[in-house]
Amino acid sequence: MIKIISFKICPFVQRVTALLEAKKIPYQIEFIELSKKPQWFLDISPNGQVPVLVSEAGIPLFESNAIVEYIDEVSQPLESEVSPEQRAIDRAWSYQASKHYLTQCSAQRSADRDTLMQRSDKLNTVLDRVEKKLGDGPFFKGDSLSNVDLAWLPLLHRADIINQFTCYDFIQAYPKVKEWQSALLDTGLAEKSVSSDFTQRFTDFYLSQSSYLGSKKCDEKEGCNADNPVCHPKCCG
């Protein structure tokens, strides 16, 4: 059985585990703390980053893009009869997601409103593109789940959690992306691809008192309103 070395709230790991879950490929997972990386991990991870996939032959693989391609090469694809050109296009759209994981991470940790808005604007650049690309759905390419969907799942999953705990919605201004988010979350892959304590670990880190979103949570009774300074203009009436 293959093994995944993971940090619990890493979006790059979730992209890999979501693909494994979608393909129903069994795997083991071992969690480490990136602040205390064990030597055995550093010995098998050239860049010192997660995820690392250890193949059934005991060979460690690193970099999520390479790992996803490896999984596709050794298993049945999610889609059949995809042309080489379309696969290249799918990889490009997947990369549009993964290269913005850290953009979203930094936005979530913003210390003040101005920083949050500036960092969110960087994420809006790619959200504008994908909003224009999305069709009638429910998924990125139509009726069938694809690798592109799974690449975007970490971003959309985290946006949903932030929206649940605060009045801030990264994707409120993008109706097609919102529908896509809902369809992806309805598959159950978000929950299956993370640890059982993911939401707690995620909110402890990103919604701590040191972050703007964490210190300005919307009151549960009041909900989202224009008087609450955390509310995004698109979210508040």
Side-chain angles (χ1 to χ4, degrees):
M1 185 182 297
I2 63 176
K3 183 177 183 178
I4 302 294
I5 313 301
S6 170
F7 174 60
K8 285 190 175 181
I9 60 174
C10 175
F12 297 93
V13 173
Q14 188 180 16
R15 178 188 178 188
V16 170
T17 52
L19 179 61
L20 292 170
E21 292 288 348
K23 292 191 173 193
K24 296 182 170 53
I25 298 174
Y27 61 97
Q28 298 175 328
I29 191 162
E30 181 168 352
F31 298 105
I32 65 169
E33 293 296 332
L34 295 184
S35 60
K36 298 181 292 184
K37 299 174 186 176
Q39 187 57 49
W40 64 262
F41 170 73
L42 295 174
D43 290 342
I44 65 173
S45 177
N47 60 5
Q49 298 174 348
V50 292
V52 168
L53 181 151
V54 181
S55 71
E56 292 184 349
I59 300 172
L61 309 175
F62 67 105
E63 292 288 354
S64 58
N65 286 330
I67 291 172
V68 165
E69 290 192 22
Y70 167 78
I71 293 170
D72 277 341
E73 288 177 352
V74 300
S75 63
Q76 290 295 319
L78 290 176
E79 302 176 283
S80 59
E81 299 180 358
V82 178
S83 69
E85 292 86 357
Q86 186 60 54
R87 283 197 298 271
I89 292 170
D90 292 350
R91 284 194 293 268
W93 278 108
S94 296
Y95 178 65
Q96 290 297 303
S98 63
K99 78 173 185 177
H100 284 87
Y101 290 168
L102 297 184
T103 303
Q104 185 185 45
C105 289
S106 66
Q108 292 163 166
R109 288 281 288 174
S110 298
D112 55 68
R113 180 184 173 87
D114 287 344
T115 303
L116 174 62
M117 294 299 110
Q118 291 169 7
R119 292 174 177 175
S120 293
D121 282 344
K122 294 181 180 179
L123 194 59
N124 287 342
T125 301
V126 72
L127 290 172
D128 285 335
R129 297 190 198 118
V130 78
E131 178 76 11
K132 293 173 183 175
K133 176 65 177 176
L134 287 169
D136 295 331
F139 302 117
F140 183 83
K141 296 170 68 179
D143 293 332
S144 300
L145 192 73
S146 73
N147 283 17
V148 182
D149 296 296
L150 301 180
W152 280 84
L153 179 63
L155 281 171
L156 299 177
H157 183 202
R158 284 155 177 74
D160 178 65
I161 295 173
I162 292 293
N163 192 30
Q164 287 181 45
F165 283 83
T166 75
C167 285
Y168 192 80
D169 188 351
F170 282 101
I171 63 173
Q172 182 65 33
Y174 305 99
K176 287 187 177 181
V177 177
K178 287 289 290 183
E179 292 177 2
W180 184 28
Q181 177 193 51
S182 179
L184 281 176
L185 295 179
D186 284 347
T187 66
L189 289 171
E191 291 80 9
K192 291 178 181 178
S193 56
V194 294
S195 64
S196 59
D197 61 346
F198 171 79
T199 300
Q200 186 65 55
R201 292 288 296 267
F202 177 85
T203 54
D204 284 349
F205 185 74
Y206 286 108
L207 298 180
S208 68
Q209 288 298 306
S210 63
S211 72
Y212 180 74
L213 288 174
S215 64
K216 302 289 186 180
K217 292 180 186 177
C218 285
D219 187 281
E220 289 183 1
K221 295 180 181 179
E222 295 180 358
C224 184
N225 62 78
D227 295 328
N228 191 320
V230 76
C231 293
H232 191 285
K234 298 288 187 180
C235 162
C236 303

